[in-house]
Amino acid sequence: MNTHIDFMNLALSLAQRGQGDVEPNPMVGAVIVRDGVVLGQGWHKKFGGPHAEIEAFADAKRNGADVRGAEMYVTLEPCCHYGKTPPCAKAIIESGVSKVYIAMRDPNPKVDGGGMKMLTDAGIEVVSGICQRQAESLNKPFVKHITRRRPWVIVKWAQTLDGKIAARDASSQWISKPSASPPVSCPDWRILHAGIRQHLPDTGLCRMH
């Protein structure tokens, strides 16, 4: 492992470990490297908890590594505002890291380039766009929530050949086979499984269970 893509892919694999625990925050991973050697690594583990960059610094400290002059790979632009935690861009500046590789810009209006500007204003070299497509794919639900204010929804249903899912008088039972009834299993996304118990024809609503 000695290329920019290799280290960013490592950061992306770390980021995915936060799946299901960090929402509505994005999944983020970070890796600190010097001369091709990983000094520390981390990921955002829980909503409200330390961000990936801070976890990576903590890991480097446990390893007894000096990160001054090292490089960091992070899957999302470091934040530059105070929220549940202080800005990660500030922590990066104070750490002495000399160069930061970023997979994708944070679409959050509170960041949206501000993190990169904070780093460059402090004299830290910033390179963005490494594995950008993979990073954007990983956080599609976050991006949609931030940019469109809508949830990421995956729906599973069964219907008859004429496009019906239930009888108006609720007399119909199962359309599909029992083997199709368990929740959908998909490794790439967080899925909240909700079965349509009964369609309410007069309201256009669905009762979920």
Side-chain angles (χ1 to χ4, degrees):
M1 179 185 295
N2 54 13
T3 71
H4 298 314
I5 292 176
D6 289 333
F7 289 124
M8 191 61 80
N9 277 331
L10 173 58
L12 286 165
S13 68
L14 291 168
Q16 197 164 15
R17 296 185 185 183
Q19 179 174 307
D21 296 315
V22 302
E23 290 79 4
N25 282 355
M27 293 181 284
V28 184
V31 179
I32 304 171
V33 178
R34 189 201 310 277
D35 299 326
V37 177
V38 175
L39 305 181
Q41 58 186 30
W43 67 95
H44 184 33
K45 298 178 179 179
K46 186 177 181 180
F47 176 72
H51 289 184
E53 300 92 327
I54 307 306
E55 292 282 6
F57 287 134
D59 186 51
K61 184 176 181 179
R62 286 191 295 270
N63 295 334
D66 182 359
V67 302
R68 289 175 295 180
E71 300 176 341
M72 173 176 278
Y73 293 80
V74 62
T75 59
L76 184 70
E77 177 185 3
C79 61
C80 55
H81 63 288
Y82 283 87
K84 292 184 179 298
T85 61
C88 291
K90 182 173 182 292
I92 293 172
I93 294 169
E94 293 173 347
S95 74
V97 164
S98 62
K99 190 171 185 176
V100 179
Y101 296 92
I102 299 169
M104 66 172 284
R105 183 170 177 149
D106 190 342
N108 188 335
K110 294 181 179 179
V111 185
D112 196 19
M116 291 188 284
K117 184 177 185 304
M118 183 181 289
L119 295 176
T120 55
D121 286 350
I124 296 175
E125 185 177 355
V126 174
V127 178
S128 63
I130 299 175
C131 300
Q132 179 175 334
R133 183 179 299 176
Q134 295 93 317
E136 290 173 343
S137 178
L138 180 67
N139 281 308
K140 279 184 177 180
F142 168 75
V143 172
K144 184 174 183 180
H145 169 67
I146 288 295
T147 60
R148 301 180 62 188
R149 308 308 298 175
R150 293 182 179 180
W152 181 263
V153 179
I154 298 176
V155 180
K156 171 192 174 185
W157 75 85
Q159 70 180 43
T160 56
L161 288 175
D162 57 354
K164 303 298 191 297
I165 62 173
R168 284 186 173 274
D169 61 2
S171 62
S172 61
Q173 297 297 315
W174 299 105
I175 296 173
S176 56
K177 298 188 300 184
S179 60
S181 296
V184 175
S185 177
C186 179
D188 295 328
W189 302 108
R190 285 74 69 213
I191 299 176
L192 175 62
H193 174 74
I196 299 180
R197 180 69 173 179
Q198 179 183 355
H199 180 62
L200 307 180
D202 295 332
T203 63
L205 300 177
C206 290
R207 183 175 299 146
M208 303 295 190
H209 74 86

